[in-house]
Amino acid sequence: MMTTTLFDIQRTKTSRITEVDIENLPFGSVFSDHQFMMEFENGKWNTGVIEPYGDMRLSPAAMVLHYGQAIFEGMKAFRQPDGGIALFRPQDNIRRFNVSGERMCMPKVDEETFMEALKELLKLDSQWVPNAEGSSLYIRPFMFASEVHVGVRPSAQYRFVIFTCPVGPYYKGNVRVKVETEYTRAAPGGTGFAKAAGNYGAALRPTELAKAQGYDQILWTDAVEHKYIEESGTMNAVFVMDGKLVSPALGDTVLNGVTRASILKLARHFGLEVEERRIGVSELKAAAESGALQEAFGVGTAATMTAIEAIGFVGGDVELPPVEGWTIMPKLAKGLDDIRRGRAEDPFGWRIVL
Ligand SMILES: *Cc1c(COP(=O)(O)O)cnc(C)c1O
């Protein structure tokens, strides 16, 4: 066993990297050699370990399985032109992880310890960061209640884990979205702003129903009146209306996406007008019908940007102009990708080089 100042490290004896076609990767089913794990008990975090990736032991009475205290994050690392590796805005994910944890009554992870865990894990598994165009290393930190106890109250024990997946290009085509006016993703005062596992479980049924109606995703509306646009699946929503970039304002019912923040910042940097405000379903419908709605897309770490080709409103679908003719989404996508992959200057300090 090797020991850094902060963690214990148990290296795998046999790397699995030779079994993997790193130039031809699926999304989310190939896992790197190592994982990071750290336990919280007696009111504090123990020393973390980096160990070979593999199954965990868990009691059937572990509180997470019953009362749902579980949160996660998703971020990426990119191979740089000089062969090095850069994480993209990891501090933002670390901060958001602690925001999610606070809402779910879970303990804070020290930001520096979190960052060191990421760096040590990635250094050990640096070969797993793909080089191919469009590929990256997807990083999944998560935390759950591990105390063995029956009865609803905050757990006294937690497990914090990070594993990573080399991933290929996510592109799955453009999407048709359904404006949801019956089901709700997040209510005021609820957990919509947290990356809490239960939010995703609760969204499955409405999403499957939308798929059965021919859509790929839901465009969620507010829980109170179903009159204002919120976000889509695991992506924030961005619209181009009359040449301006418009995105629903953040609040406690919308996940504060790092990709959204980056795209809006980049758009302002490029001289585009940007509005973060309430967007009425009726406003969006009128804009789609008149042609004022020029482009619409979802933004999130996994897919980066996904074009919305049609929006399903009550009363019928409205098709957007053909995606091939769009200019703003491709410009922003390239701008963001060039920064992430080290092909452009990084005026905002978004790259954290290992
Ligand atoms: C993760 C997520 C997003 C996108 O956030 P990024 O930080 O850009 O990856 C948007 N909406 C929801 C509901 C999410 O879970």
Side-chain angles (χ1 to χ4, degrees):
M1 188 187 292
M2 188 174 111
T3 305
T4 62
T5 42
L6 282 169
F7 313 123
D8 296 332
I9 300 181
Q10 304 161 14
R11 296 182 80 111
T12 182
K13 291 194 179 64
T14 46
S15 173
R16 287 177 283 102
I17 189 113
T18 50
E19 299 163 20
V20 173
D21 182 2
I22 202 99
E23 302 297 313
N24 190 14
L25 293 158
F27 196 97
S29 50
V30 174
F31 303 95
S32 313
D33 279 332
H34 297 90
Q35 62 196 8
F36 175 85
M37 206 175 298
M38 191 163 76
E39 307 273 354
F40 182 91
E41 57 185 355
N42 302 320
K44 63 173 184 52
W45 289 104
N46 294 337
T47 302
V49 285
I50 293 175
E51 58 183 27
Y53 171 84
D55 294 352
M56 298 184 285
R57 277 184 68 90
L58 200 62
S59 162
M63 291 180 82
V64 63
L65 300 175
H66 309 268
Y67 314 117
Q69 276 180 294
I71 57 169
F72 69 98
E73 266 304 327
M75 66 182 108
K76 281 178 171 174
F78 298 88
R79 184 70 66 182
Q80 303 294 293
D82 66 359
I85 295 166
L87 284 150
F88 184 73
R89 304 190 72 173
Q91 306 97 319
D92 296 80
N93 295 89
I94 292 172
R95 271 195 292 271
R96 188 171 68 191
F97 191 74
N98 283 329
V99 168
S100 299
E102 183 178 33
R103 180 65 182 81
M104 299 303 290
C105 264
M106 299 166 86
K108 245 190 167 67
V109 177
D110 172 67
E111 293 187 10
E112 266 175 51
T113 308
F114 197 144
M115 185 69 86
E116 281 308 308
L118 285 172
K119 287 183 174 175
E120 288 295 328
L121 186 62
L122 263 64
K123 278 182 197 159
L124 203 57
D125 282 340
S126 60
Q127 290 181 80
W128 290 84
V129 183
N131 207 2
E133 188 63 33
S135 302
S136 59
L137 188 75
Y138 185 80
I139 302 164
R140 169 52 58 86
F142 63 106
M143 192 206 299
F144 61 89
S146 54
E147 185 186 348
V148 175
H149 176 78
V150 175
V152 181
R153 58 158 172 76
S155 172
Q157 293 172 13
Y158 296 88
R159 195 174 295 169
F160 172 59
V161 186
I162 309 172
F163 65 75
T164 69
C165 302
V167 296
Y170 192 88
Y171 188 74
K172 295 209 178 106
N174 308 323
V175 294
R176 305 178 73 84
V177 297
K178 175 192 174 187
V179 175
E180 180 61 61
T181 53
E182 184 186 342
Y183 290 96
T184 294
R185 187 191 89 88
T191 57
F193 65 96
K195 252 177 143 66
N199 290 345
Y200 305 85
L204 294 175
R205 180 171 164 80
T207 306
E208 289 304 299
L209 290 172
K211 284 182 182 167
Q213 295 168 346
Y215 301 99
D216 304 290
Q217 263 304 340
I218 282 174
L219 194 52
W220 296 102
T221 57
D222 70 284
V224 180
E225 298 179 277
H226 292 304
K227 280 186 181 162
Y228 299 95
I229 301 293
E230 300 220 306
E231 59 175 312
S232 182
T234 54
M235 298 185 296
N236 293 108
V238 179
F239 304 99
V240 180
M241 289 199 243
D242 292 320
K244 278 186 276 193
L245 217 64
V246 189
S247 184
L250 298 175
D252 68 353
T253 60
V254 174
L255 201 288
N256 182 358
V258 177
T259 317
R260 174 187 179 276
S262 306
I263 287 295
L264 298 187
K265 183 114 182 174
L266 210 54
R268 290 186 173 108
H269 185 67
F270 288 162
L272 286 164
E273 211 176 308
V274 175
E275 291 177 357
E276 295 175 68
R277 60 171 174 81
R278 289 233 275 193
I279 302 171
V281 173
S282 56
E283 177 194 354
L284 189 67
K285 186 162 190 251
E289 285 169 348
S290 73
L293 179 63
Q294 298 158 300
E295 306 180 18
F297 40 91
V299 297
T301 295
T304 310
M305 292 172 107
T306 302
I308 295 172
E309 62 178 32
I311 304 176
F313 295 96
V314 173
D317 293 358
V318 182
E319 306 289 326
L320 269 75
V323 176
E324 299 71 48
W326 294 7
T327 56
I328 292 176
M329 182 181 122
K331 184 176 160 146
L332 292 169
K334 181 177 185 309
L336 182 61
D337 215 44
D338 284 350
I339 295 178
R340 297 192 304 182
R341 293 178 189 282
R343 296 180 188 135
E345 262 184 74
D346 177 19
F348 316 112
W350 287 344
R351 287 192 296 256
I352 301 297
V353 176
L354 285 197

